[in-house]
Amino acid sequence: MIAPEFEVGIYDNIPYEDYAAIPAYRSHDLTAVIKCPYTWKFKKQVEQTPAMLEGRVQHTLFLEEHNFDKEFVVQPQIDRRTKAGKEDYETFLNTVGERTVISQDLYDTCLERKGVVQEFVPKPTDMVELTVCFMWHDQPFKARLDWYDNEYVWDLKTCVDASPRGFIRAVNNFNYHMQASLYIDACKAVNLKCEGFKFLAQEKKDPYPYAVYTLSDESIKYAQARNEQALEKILKCEAEKEYRPFGLYGEQVIESTDLY
């Protein structure tokens, strides 16, 4: 399916590149601008880091394992110090095409993690990587849901600390609550049944402990207010063509009460 320019609706099987090209705001815009309008506006496209690659592999294996061979290829064990090994490696590279090369260790680790949370792997009746285009406060928005079980929106988060204390810290640091609230609003905007939002948080290191988290109704309302505040900031910045670092003016005074 070819991604629309922007049209309200629910879309399945849209490649991420097409989703990214849809001209609409997304959760990341809200969470980024509320921290720093300047960074949100002027940050250059981030090159893929090892952590980002690991996240891509993990999500593909967990959500769409049938697409793994289309996106990735595991590098075989080849000794490139020898002439024969160099030739074998060149032959291998000629088979890669547009796919991303990953190590056997990374593949094995991600597959092992998936095995630990196998009971949560989306069922055939669930929808994965679902794109929702919707209007929110008269502005075009888009959302890409990890998976939707016809009742709840789910999101897989690999993290350093999946304990309640650790994950709550991550929620605050990365504004995950704002993402959850917007995705709930997205579903409601297109009449998609949604009872709430759930996080499957799993630690990156062996033995890969995990926990499921959700947000209270009060937390969702708080996050919704934060989203509205962020959208107001976006529209104000764009109207005035001014994107001040951290939204600050002039010198900032550090009071004694700020010190510890």
Side-chain angles (χ1 to χ4, degrees):
M1 175 183 289
I2 298 176
E5 280 299 305
F6 176 83
E7 186 175 347
V8 171
I10 305 167
Y11 302 92
D12 195 12
N13 295 322
I14 291 183
Y16 180 80
E17 293 74 15
D18 292 338
Y19 165 78
I22 298 173
Y25 296 118
R26 53 189 178 137
S27 173
H28 177 73
D29 293 305
L30 300 178
T31 59
V33 79
I34 206 163
K35 288 184 176 180
C36 179
Y38 180 86
T39 302
W40 168 72
K41 179 64 176 178
F42 299 111
K43 187 175 183 178
K44 297 178 181 178
Q45 187 173 1
V46 179
E47 293 185 6
Q48 182 170 259
T49 64
M52 291 171 64
L53 174 59
E54 183 176 349
R56 279 182 56 209
V57 175
Q58 190 70 66
H59 271 71
T60 301
L61 284 174
F62 185 85
L63 298 169
E64 299 179 293
E65 189 170 2
H66 59 282
N67 284 332
F68 179 83
D69 290 333
K70 298 177 185 177
E71 296 189 34
F72 304 97
V73 58
V74 178
Q75 181 174 311
Q77 297 294 327
I78 298 175
D79 185 355
R80 285 183 279 170
R81 294 172 298 180
T82 66
K83 180 179 179 181
K86 292 178 181 178
E87 292 175 351
D88 289 343
Y89 187 69
E90 286 299 320
T91 300
F92 162 70
L93 291 180
N94 290 332
T95 68
V96 170
E98 298 297 320
R99 295 178 295 173
T100 301
V101 178
I102 66 170
S103 69
Q104 184 69 52
D105 286 344
L106 176 57
Y107 175 78
D108 291 342
T109 296
C110 291
L111 204 59
E112 189 175 356
R113 281 199 205 111
K114 177 184 176 181
V116 172
V117 291
Q118 187 66 41
E119 64 181 293
F120 297 100
V121 170
K123 300 175 178 59
T125 54
D126 297 345
M127 290 178 277
V128 300
E129 300 291 10
L130 192 67
T131 292
V132 178
C133 292
F134 61 106
M135 297 297 293
W136 194 70
H137 292 287
D138 298 321
Q139 299 299 319
F141 271 82
K142 61 186 178 182
R144 191 171 177 88
L145 319 183
D146 269 8
W147 80 101
Y148 170 71
D149 66 4
N150 299 294
E151 188 174 4
Y152 288 91
V153 175
W154 286 78
D155 199 76
L156 174 65
K157 300 291 189 188
T158 52
C159 52
V160 174
D161 186 353
S163 71
R165 182 177 180 178
F167 191 68
I168 289 172
R169 186 186 302 115
V171 169
N172 282 294
N173 286 344
F174 301 109
N175 287 314
Y176 290 158
H177 54 305
M178 293 173 65
Q179 174 200 9
S181 177
L182 186 69
Y183 282 20
I184 291 172
D185 284 346
C187 292
K188 292 178 178 178
V190 295
N191 297 316
L192 199 62
K193 179 182 177 182
C194 184
E195 297 295 332
F197 189 101
K198 295 185 179 183
F199 298 101
L200 173 58
Q202 184 177 31
E203 292 188 6
K204 296 181 178 182
K205 292 187 177 180
D206 180 76
Y208 317 117
Y210 63 92
V212 175
Y213 296 95
T214 189
L215 293 165
S216 68
D217 292 342
E218 186 177 1
S219 296
I220 291 294
K221 289 179 181 178
Y222 171 76
Q224 188 177 56
R226 290 273 289 175
N227 284 336
E228 291 169 350
Q229 179 187 3
L231 177 58
E232 183 179 357
K233 183 172 291 189
I234 285 176
L235 298 178
K236 185 174 186 293
C237 288
E238 292 183 337
E240 298 176 354
K241 299 292 190 263
E242 187 174 43
Y243 307 88
R244 301 191 67 83
F246 312 111
L248 300 176
Y249 292 84
E251 293 182 351
Q252 306 301 305
V253 177
I254 299 174
E255 301 288 356
S256 61
T257 53
D258 296 323
L259 304 176
Y260 53 87

